[in-house]
Amino acid sequence: MMRNTSILIVIVILFIAGIGMGYVVGFSGQKTVASVSVTTVTSNATATAQNNSQPYDLTLMITTNNNYNSTIGAQPAYYVVTGTGLGSSGNISLPAHRLIKLVIFCYDNGTAPLLNPQYTNVSGTQNGLETIDNNDNVNSSQGTTGINIVGPQNVTNVNASNIAHTFTIPELGVNLPIPPSSTVTAYLMLNETGTFTWACFTGCGYGPTGQMGAMDTDAWMTGSLTVS
Ligand SMILES: [Cu+2]
């Protein structure tokens, strides 16, 4: 009787220890998965340290395959390109009183109507210019023997029929019209500190003629911008 009880106690102890081991293994497994997902979600600012004697780099990317709402499907969105991948554009931080090199990669190949013709004009940048690369209409033309490729074009205005999105900071007078499938570069200096709103002023996401929803949502076609 005593022997059977001892064996029973040993079995119970081993059983409890087994549950404990399973919990530890299971928990550490969960922890690993959690840390991986945190890595992909974090960072909305430029990750790499920047040299103060050089222009501050802000690189943005417009991608199209983003699902805002499963019933609407894919919609375009701005991202900040960081040292570790794409980050949220919901709250962009920029230095005041320092030259900023802004590069925007637009992977959207479609145009969208402007909310106001004023957004065809480049404003708030060095010399009122932006430089356009890679756009079919701006950087190439059909010649008699083939396509003529022209280099980067410095422009003060983009034809309303050739705009996919804009990157606009109304309170700071900054506006960059972005042609479809293009790379746009501009230099700017922001001397006013504070928190502002950036937005796209094409009808790409807002209202009944747009795809709705995204235009008004932070980190899609609008967001805040802090200058300090
Ligand atoms: Cu847009």
Side-chain angles (χ1 to χ4, degrees), residues 62 76-78 108 112-113 163-167 198-206 215 220-222:
I62 301 166
Y78 269 98
D108 193 340
I163 296 176
H165 302 279
T166 72
F167 184 77
W198 70 265
C200 167
F201 279 83
T202 71
C204 66
Y206 178 74
M215 179 70 94
W220 283 76
M221 281 288 145
T222 187

Side-chain angles (χ1 to χ4, degrees), residues 154-194:
N154 298 323
V155 304
T156 58
N157 177 279
V158 176
N159 193 296
S161 64
N162 192 36
I163 296 176
H165 302 279
T166 72
F167 184 77
T168 309
I169 313 166
E171 296 148 293
L172 299 178
V174 173
N175 183 61
L176 302 176
I178 313 297
S181 301
S182 67
T183 303
V184 171
T185 305
Y187 290 85
L188 58 156
M189 181 97 77
L190 302 175
N191 293 317
E192 193 178 333
T193 59

Side-chain angles (χ1 to χ4, degrees), residues 24-113:
V24 168
V25 169
F27 181 75
S28 64
Q30 262 186 345
K31 201 174 169 192
T32 304
V33 170
S35 72
V36 167
S37 66
V38 165
T39 304
T40 56
V41 169
T42 51
S43 79
N44 66 355
T46 304
T48 49
Q50 299 206 25
N51 180 341
N52 279 344
S53 66
Q54 300 293 318
Y56 182 90
D57 285 312
L58 172 64
T59 304
L60 303 176
M61 184 181 286
I62 301 166
T63 69
T64 56
N65 197 20
N66 313 287
N67 282 318
Y68 175 76
N69 177 318
S70 59
T71 61
I72 295 174
Q75 289 188 271
Y78 269 98
Y79 288 90
V80 176
V81 179
T82 77
T84 54
L86 298 185
S88 169
S89 63
N91 192 347
I92 298 172
S93 295
L94 287 172
H97 316 298
R98 181 173 161 190
L99 191 63
I100 295 162
K101 181 184 182 184
L102 171 58
V103 178
I104 300 175
F105 296 112
C106 178
Y107 284 98
D108 193 340
N109 64 6
T111 58

